[in-house]
Amino acid sequence: MSIPIADTGYTGGPVSMQADFKVNGVLGDAKRIAAIQNTAGLFTVYVSTGGDLKTFGDTDGTTTIPFTSVKNDIVANTDYSVCVRWATDDYRGAVDGTLGDADTNCPLPDFDGASFYVGGQSSSGAELDGHIKRVAIYSEALSNENLQSLTAS
């Protein structure tokens, strides 16, 4: 599913994305949970081919934010809650109440005209094999405390 990001009320600048999800299998193809993407930028949360929950950012189509692990070795058919934020030089996520590593060298992309994808991303073929219970976009960079509280059980 995809919609224009402007339809969510997000108009640019710092952003946070939250999702409650479950995957049926964790190994094999990457599984996209949610993403914001246009030709100039990408911000995504996904399950890697090795079964880790990760984030990835691309600021301008060529400059990438390194793959950031939020949680290693997730388990199939288990409920998870993840929330990630991206502001200028402030990129961090949390899963189930635990903060992941921070990246403080990450320019914020221009997401003008972007789309918001749930359960997949563009034509990547990385569809989620599972369920998404809830997804949310926040037009601000949520604090560490908010990242943790939104994802705590």
Side-chain angles (χ1 to χ4, degrees), residues 82-116:
V82 62
C83 191
V84 292
R85 72 160 176 255
W86 195 347
T88 300
D89 296 330
D90 183 17
Y91 187 87
R92 193 167 204 178
V95 64
D96 295 340
T98 301
L99 286 172
D101 294 333
D103 187 333
T104 57
N105 186 19
C106 49
L108 184 66
D110 177 4
F111 284 125
D112 185 48
S115 291
F116 178 52

Side-chain angles (χ1 to χ4, degrees), residues 115-131:
S115 291
F116 178 52
Y117 297 91
V118 177
Q121 169 202 327
S122 189
S123 60
S124 69
E127 292 83 15
L128 178 70
D129 177 18
H131 306 279

Side-chain angles (χ1 to χ4, degrees), residues 5 12 24 29 49 53 59 62 78 84 87 91 93 99 107 117 123 141 151:
I5 193 69
N24 295 330
D29 294 334
T49 58
L53 182 62
T59 61
T62 58
T78 302
V84 292
Y91 187 87
L99 286 172
Y117 297 91
S123 60
T151 63

Side-chain angles (χ1 to χ4, degrees), residues 22-93:
K22 178 189 300 189
V23 292
N24 295 330
V26 295
L27 299 178
D29 294 334
K31 294 145 186 71
R32 306 285 189 220
I33 297 163
I36 300 171
Q37 182 181 20
N38 65 6
T39 57
L42 168 65
F43 180 29
T44 187
V45 179
Y46 70 101
V47 178
S48 72
T49 58
D52 297 334
L53 182 62
K54 295 187 173 193
T55 67
F56 175 76
D58 181 345
T59 61
D60 58 12
T62 58
T63 306
T64 61
I65 303 303
F67 296 95
T68 304
S69 267
V70 182
K71 181 173 181 66
N72 294 327
D73 301 322
I74 68 167
V75 178
N77 299 308
T78 302
D79 292 321
Y80 290 98
S81 184
V82 62
C83 191
V84 292
R85 72 160 176 255
W86 195 347
T88 300
D89 296 330
D90 183 17
Y91 187 87
R92 193 167 204 178

